[in-house]
Structures are given as structure tokens and as C-alpha cells.
Amino acid sequence: GAVVSQHPSWVICKSGTSVKIECRSLDFQATTMFWYRQFPKQSLMLMATSNEGSKATYEQGVEKDKFLINHASLTLSTLTVTSAHPEDSSFYICSAPKAGSNSPLHFGNGTRLTVT
Amino acid sequence: AQSVAQPEDQVNVAEGNPLTVKCTYSVSGNPYLFWYVQYPNRGLQFLLKYITGDNLVKGSYGFEAEFNKSQTSFHLKKPSALVSDSALYFCAVREGITGGGNKLTFGTGTQLKVEL
């Protein structure tokens, strides 16, 4: 069964509004979670690393103020796309390692964001 | 810096035939290698990993991969393809050093199409 739950699976919002995406680890604690963005027919681009109890680490070129990340607990990380614009439309995927540094990442089912 | 190359955007194979999806990597230390599969509008599912040990790694759904250090490759294989194997496959690498965390670098993906 799924070990990482991501919600919502899809969302349509108007330009200028904000959207929050949740990522939960279901049966394990995750001090670290990763947020990816995927464009059509392209690979995953790591946006940021979410750290429980501290600030997220953003990849180069990712706007911190636009993509707000909060790792509120050991099982929940949220990504908020602020003042969304049509170019933010994309597929956003979160992931977390279940146990140990050698464990594979477990991915949520992704969120399809469409900004109109 | 670590990197992954998947030289083929798409691989076509007839059902029942063997399949190979190619992957080469570059890391400065010991590589931790992974294969993931993605179905449309879904997150990634873990297939298999190489950390250490036997060069031939067996994974989910009958897939296997062979680690070749001299060729820096980690090709994904399956002896007999199924139509249901049609999906997008990603190779990923992370450098296996203490404190390296779980930050993965993904290849650009290979679309596998299995036809009757």
C-alpha cells in the first residue's frame, strides 16, 4: 500500500491565488521530504528539501517566497504555491525515505496543478 | 556533481521479447543506483536498487538490472516484456557517502512501449 500520501491529486486555481499541497508519510516518520516538479515528458526537477524543525533547502533557481515549504511534523510537509500564475502549472510530486540512508524514496501520487 | 544519462527517449518492444532500458551514471564516489517506474499522472514506484554486493539486482515485477562499474552503467532488463510494462522509467543515482542524504539525481526518463 501507499506509504506516502499526497493531497490533492489535482487542483485548478485562478491566477493570483495560492494553493497548498500536502505530503504525509503514513506509517513512518520522515525528518526529510523532497519536493519535485515535473514538466510534460520531462524528468523530475528537485525543487527543495523539506527539513522537519528547520528551514527548507531550496535548489538553485527556485524562488523561496513563491514556493513556501513547511515541515510541521515528522509526518507532514506542505508546499504552498503563492500568487500562482499559469507558468506554475505543472505536476508536483513529494517523496520521503522510509528508513535509513540507503532506503529508496517513496513517492506520493503527485498533484496536477492548473492555473487559469 | 552526480549525473545520470538515459540515452533513449523511447524503447519499443514486442510482448514476450526481452527488453533493455539503458542508464549510465557519473559520481565521484561509490554510486547508489535506483530504477523507478511512473504510470500516467502518478508518482514514481520503486523497482530496484544497487547499493553494494552482487552486480545483478532483482526487483519488482520481474525486472532486474546489472551494475557495471567499468562501463558506469546500470541497465534495466526484463526477460519477457508485458504490455502492462508500458510506462515511463527513470534511472537515479546518489553518491554513497556518509551524510550524503537521500538527494537523488534522475535521468530524463525512457518511455517503454510494449506492443502485442
Side-chain angles (χ1 to χ4, degrees):
Chain A
V3 297
V4 174
S5 174
Q6 190 171 340
H7 179 81
S9 55
W10 61 269
V11 58
I12 301 172
C13 71
K14 293 185 177 181
S15 187
T17 62
S18 295
V19 173
K20 180 184 284 188
I21 302 170
E22 292 186 348
C23 182
R24 294 181 184 273
S25 55
L26 297 182
D27 59 353
F28 66 100
Q29 294 180 332
T31 57
T32 301
M33 291 186 178
F34 301 92
W35 286 96
Y36 292 87
R37 182 174 180 177
Q38 186 179 28
F39 294 96
K41 297 185 179 181
Q42 292 191 25
S43 187
L44 285 78
M45 180 192 78
L46 179 64
M47 299 175 65
T49 303
S50 173
N51 304 301
E52 191 271 336
S54 63
K55 292 182 179 179
T57 305
Y58 289 82
E59 296 300 304
Q60 191 173 7
V62 177
E63 297 177 61
K64 302 178 183 180
D65 296 332
K66 181 163 190 62
F67 298 101
L68 299 179
I69 290 173
N70 187 333
H71 201 135
S73 73
L74 288 171
T75 59
L76 174 64
S77 175
T78 60
L79 168 67
T80 301
V81 183
T82 62
S83 186
H85 288 97
E87 57 265 31
D88 298 326
S89 299
S90 192
F91 194 56
Y92 294 88
I93 311 175
C94 71
S95 70
K98 188 171 182 178
S101 61
N102 294 340
S103 63
L105 291 179
H106 292 272
F107 286 80
N109 278 332
T111 297
R112 172 72 60 192
L113 171 63
T114 302
V115 184
T116 61
Chain B
Q2 56 197 36
S3 65
V4 176
Q6 292 181 244
E8 303 154 316
D9 291 337
Q10 182 162 322
V11 169
N12 297 323
V13 65
E15 188 174 53
N17 284 359
L19 68 87
T20 299
V21 182
K22 296 179 181 177
C23 171
T24 58
Y25 66 90
S26 175
V27 294
S28 55
N30 293 321
Y32 288 9
L33 294 155
F34 303 82
W35 275 101
Y36 288 86
V37 60
Q38 184 182 31
Y39 295 96
N41 294 311
R42 302 295 295 272
L44 277 66
Q45 296 178 31
F46 168 73
L47 280 179
L48 51 79
K49 67 177 179 180
Y50 172 83
I51 303 297
T52 186
D54 290 340
N55 290 341
L56 184 64
V57 179
K58 293 187 183 297
S60 306
Y61 313 119
F63 284 93
E64 58 189 29
E66 186 167 12
F67 171 65
N68 188 316
K69 188 173 182 178
S70 63
Q71 297 185 3
T72 62
S73 67
F74 190 57
H75 301 330
L76 181 69
K77 299 180 180 183
K78 187 173 183 180
S80 179
L82 298 172
V83 172
S84 57
D85 293 330
S86 299
L88 186 59
Y89 290 81
F90 288 100
C91 181
V93 68
R94 126 172 136 73
E95 193 168 341
I97 56 175
T98 302
N102 286 284
K103 183 176 175 179
L104 289 181
T105 298
F106 286 87
T108 51
T110 299
Q111 184 70 48
L112 173 66
K113 187 175 182 181
V114 182
E115 300 169 310
L116 290 171

